[in-house]
Amino acid sequence: MAIDWQKEVDARKDDLLDDLKELLKVKSEREDDKITADAPFGPGPRDALKHMLSYGERDGFTVKNVDNYAGHIEFGQGDETLGIFGHMDVVPAGDDWETDPYEPVIKDGKLFARGSSDDKGPSLAAYYAMKIIKDLNLPLSKKVRFVVGSDEESGWGDMDHYFEKEKTPDFGFSPDAEFPIINGEKGNVSIRVHIGIGNEGSYTLEKFQGGLRDNMVPTSASAQVKTTTTEQAEAMEIAFNEYVGTTPISGTSIINGTTIIFQVGGKGSHGASPQFGHNAATWLAAFLDNYDFAGGAKNFLHVAAAYVHEDFYGEKLGAAFEDPKMGKLTMNAGIFDFDTDKEDALINLNFRYPQGTSSETLQASINDKIGQYGVTLTEGGHHMLPHYVPQEDPLVKTLLDVYEEHTGEKGEEQIIGGGTYGRLLERGVAFGAMFPGFVDTMHQPNEFIALDDLYKATVIYADAIYRLAK
């Protein structure tokens, strides 16, 4: 049966866009201080999950909400289940947006909003692909289940809970990355560097904060420093202004007597690609490390400046590693916290590592390099091991065939540092929705998805789902 998938998508463009806009209006950032039994990751992720599931109920699918952690939208019959995995939670919007991140705006054929490309837009594309197949009443030999998560950007607690209650699909994909395919993903682990609090120098570091999440390059950082004299503060301000003028960051300072407060702006990027950002926190630490701090304050600043700043591959920490297939390890310093009211300071390092090394090896290497600064290391967050599905697998071959037929471009395997729900399945991959040459704005201000790409992805998903499940 020859099906004109483009025609079917064109007939539903307006509905798809309307549904996506409404979903993007839900501020689905995780808020730990608002967690309840009814909202395990805060009200935003819960509300977005329920909103997405409501589309499935409206359109006549079988729908299940698993305790507001996750849910699924399902149709079809058969012994095997094709799983499609998307997520409704988003990273914090942060600053530097030109528009309201939760009021979707279309400009120059692009839809701007937090979550437009990661992952509400691609999820809606995959959902509408399912809807087309259902609307056309096409025969299937397998079940098709769209699993909707709400904690992908944090600890994956949604999927841990979901799979305690529900059966795992047999194979599938996540529309949360790039075309032509992502059939390999590096390991993902956060190593927390704890450093004691202390100040014995002529300069006192009272506070230092930078970053929002492990998987985001910090776009802003601040520090509060107390000097001995107002002359020291004034001289420090002059030096800071000169420093900012010679670096890729922006910055301001405010003097109040002998106290000076610094604010620095950098450039955000996804934590899997820290080399494309400018880490505001390490640039600020590199400036402050030139001054006479001592004790824990000096250790904190020096580790950040000498061992983390502008090192995206863990070379200064002795953690660098490269695999011929999976490529280089990358490192993102995502969170910095120093406060004299707390017991210790924190630098959170997020590693995307290839097969051949491990968290234990990384920690041993880091301790060898900076153990003399009184640090202790702990593993934090959700540790994901490296994942790979061979090119010869029928799932990979089918998806690449679909991509090639609809784009005219050769489909090749790709391995990334980002982590997607595709790795939840032994035979799981990531498939779209970013096309080659696309400007990646995931986890950055002014995130967008091009409408033409959204519709094109829907066409590809519809054909792919049908071929995999018919």
Side-chain angles (χ1 to χ4, degrees), residues 409-459:
E409 303 290 336
K410 178 65 177 173
E412 300 285 356
E413 75 169 356
Q414 293 186 95
I415 296 169
I416 62 168
T420 76
Y421 282 152
R423 71 197 305 154
L424 289 165
L425 308 178
E426 183 177 346
R427 294 182 61 221
V429 300
F431 187 53
M434 289 196 303
F435 288 90
F438 181 82
V439 177
D440 183 359
T441 55
M442 291 184 179
H443 296 199
Q444 299 179 50
N446 306 310
E447 178 184 349
F448 70 83
I449 188 167
L451 294 181
D452 286 347
D453 287 352
L454 175 68
Y455 303 137
K456 187 176 180 180
T458 308
V459 170

Side-chain angles (χ1 to χ4, degrees), residues 30 41 69-70 85 87 89 149-163 174 176 185-186 188 215 352 381-385 387 418-425:
R30 176 168 172 155
F41 309 111
Y69 280 78
F85 291 81
H87 66 91
D89 59 307
S150 65
D151 190 41
E152 195 269 353
E153 299 291 4
S154 296
W156 289 34
D158 54 347
M159 291 296 107
D160 291 339
H161 185 84
Y162 178 83
F163 285 118
S174 175
D176 189 21
E185 299 181 12
K186 295 177 184 177
N188 184 336
N215 56 359
R352 311 298 173 103
H382 186 85
H383 185 179
M384 295 179 284
L385 299 175
H387 172 76
T420 76
Y421 282 152
R423 71 197 305 154
L424 289 165
L425 308 178

Side-chain angles (χ1 to χ4, degrees), residues 10 81 106 117 129 149 158 183 188 190 256 299 315 326-327 330 340:
D10 288 343
T81 300
I106 296 175
S117 64
D158 54 347
N183 59 315
N188 184 336
S190 287
N256 184 8
N299 290 339
E315 295 169 343
M326 287 194 159
T330 61
T340 52

Side-chain angles (χ1 to χ4, degrees), residues 138-379:
L138 298 176
L140 302 180
S141 65
K142 301 176 180 66
K143 293 178 183 177
V144 180
R145 176 182 296 178
F146 192 107
V147 181
V148 186
S150 65
D151 190 41
E152 195 269 353
E153 299 291 4
S154 296
W156 289 34
D158 54 347
M159 291 296 107
D160 291 339
H161 185 84
Y162 178 83
F163 285 118
E164 289 175 0
K165 304 291 184 74
E166 299 297 321
K167 183 179 177 181
T168 303
D170 298 281
F171 64 104
F173 68 87
S174 175
D176 189 21
E178 306 168 22
F179 289 120
I181 201 168
I182 304 296
N183 59 315
E185 299 181 12
K186 295 177 184 177
N188 184 336
V189 65
S190 287
I191 296 175
R192 295 170 177 167
V193 181
H194 303 269
I195 303 174
I197 299 289
N199 277 286
E200 293 87 31
S202 57
Y203 293 80
T204 298
L205 182 64
E206 297 182 328
K207 293 181 186 295
F208 188 111
Q209 270 87 38
L212 297 171
R213 291 283 180 87
D214 298 11
N215 56 359
M216 300 170 67
V217 173
T219 58
S220 63
S222 63
Q224 182 172 308
V225 174
K226 189 169 183 61
T227 62
T228 306
T229 66
T230 56
E231 289 77 15
Q232 280 184 327
E234 291 168 355
M236 200 175 195
E237 181 178 50
I238 292 171
F240 177 72
N241 291 336
E242 293 176 350
Y243 175 75
V244 168
T246 61
T247 64
I249 61 172
S250 61
T252 60
S253 57
I254 300 174
I255 295 178
N256 184 8
T258 58
T259 298
I260 182 168
I261 298 174
F262 299 97
Q263 297 281 349
V264 167
K267 178 185 176 184
S269 181
H270 194 296
S273 305
Q275 66 272 27
F276 298 127
H278 298 306
N279 192 315
T282 66
W283 279 101
L284 179 54
F287 169 75
L288 295 176
D289 191 41
N290 295 307
Y291 289 85
D292 184 28
F293 294 92
K298 181 62 177 179
N299 290 339
F300 174 83
L301 293 171
H302 188 65
V303 167
Y307 293 91
V308 178
H309 179 53
E310 291 292 272
D311 185 3
F312 312 115
Y313 305 104
E315 295 169 343
K316 298 175 185 176
L317 288 170
F321 187 83
E322 185 171 3
D323 173 74
K325 180 175 286 292
M326 287 194 159
K328 289 185 177 183
L329 168 152
T330 61
M331 179 186 78
N332 178 56
I335 299 175
F336 295 77
D337 184 23
F338 184 103
D339 190 326
T340 52
D341 292 334
K342 297 181 179 180
E343 292 185 3
D344 62 12
L346 170 70
I347 300 174
N348 194 97
L349 304 175
N350 181 243
F351 291 89
R352 311 298 173 103
Y353 67 93
Q355 57 193 2
T357 187
S358 66
S359 175
E360 293 76 17
T361 300
L362 297 177
Q363 290 184 58
S365 300
I366 294 168
N367 192 64
D368 285 345
K369 290 292 184 179
I370 61 174
Q372 70 268 32
Y373 298 107
V375 309
T376 57
L377 306 176
T378 61
E379 185 178 297

